[in-house]
Amino acid sequence: MASASPNLTFKALSALLAYPSEDLAAAAPAIADVLALEGLVAAPERAALAPLIAELAQEDLFALQETYVGLFDRTRRLSLHLFEHVHGESRDRGQAMVDLAGIYEKGGLVLIANELPDYLPLFLEFLSTRPLTEARGLMADIAHILASLEERLASRGSAYAAVFAALRTLAADGMVVAPSPAPAVDEPVDDFAALDAAWEETAVTFGPGEGMGACSVDRFRTQLRAAQRDARHTVA
């Protein structure tokens, strides 16, 4: 029988991927306690998270923020927006956003105006409200993205790689995950006006309509599997 929600482990790992703040620094010890108490993340992965948790609690806040922006905001290969790694700039991204927003809505999560539904910390917040079996299944659907991000962060020597290693252990049992294909080099973003324009082109208005009504978890999973298969064929 699935465990009752919420699963605080998902919320704790979501917090570790949030933009560093004084509140996050203060909460770091509690995050470690939650991970140990629930035990969903195995001891080796929890130990690997310790350096990041210590950094968030003790290091200079501005330095932490600069590191975070340098990792997650200045190259698409490390984006925390899931569909960046699935659809890129494809028009399919818009419908995928609508479908995922619909899943949130059916689960009782209401997005605010400036939130994109594929933002990984938000996705994990949603999973923290779902039964564990359902949450693990949805994690399995993005495990190949998590594996790729873990590999890229580890190659940079980033302590954030441990978060993605921990997330992969939460996926459904029996998953064999390979990183998804990716460009050979990063694409640094120096022109933030251009970046804003790129995001504006792919913006989605969330609200009632045929697209929202037709969304389902199965459709979301099918889109992810199809995009992953197409990417493998392209590389081959």
Side-chain angles (χ1 to χ4, degrees), residues 169-189:
T169 69
L170 297 178
D173 292 340
M175 287 289 298
V176 178
V177 179
S180 58
V185 296
D186 284 352
E187 298 176 18
V189 178

Side-chain angles (χ1 to χ4, degrees), residues 68-80 84-85 149 152 156 185-190 192 195:
Y68 184 95
V69 169
L71 286 172
F72 300 120
D73 294 347
R74 296 185 68 85
T75 170
R76 288 174 173 170
R77 294 187 71 219
L78 293 177
S79 174
L80 293 179
E84 182 69 45
H85 307 283
L149 288 167
R152 294 166 195 166
R156 293 168 176 252
V185 296
D186 284 352
E187 298 176 18
V189 178
D190 296 315
F192 287 96
L195 179 61

Side-chain angles (χ1 to χ4, degrees), residues 1 32 65 77 130 223 234:
M1 184 176 181
Q65 292 172 342
R77 294 187 71 219
R130 311 308 301 161
Q223 290 176 335
T234 299

Side-chain angles (χ1 to χ4, degrees), residues 85 98 102 104 121 179 215:
H85 307 283
V98 172
Y104 290 166
C215 72

Side-chain angles (χ1 to χ4, degrees), residues 119-141:
Y119 183 52
L120 179 55
L122 177 62
F123 183 71
L124 296 175
E125 283 279 345
F126 173 70
L127 295 188
S128 75
T129 69
R130 311 308 301 161
L132 182 56
T133 298
E134 178 184 340
R136 284 187 184 275
L138 287 169
M139 285 297 299
D141 293 328

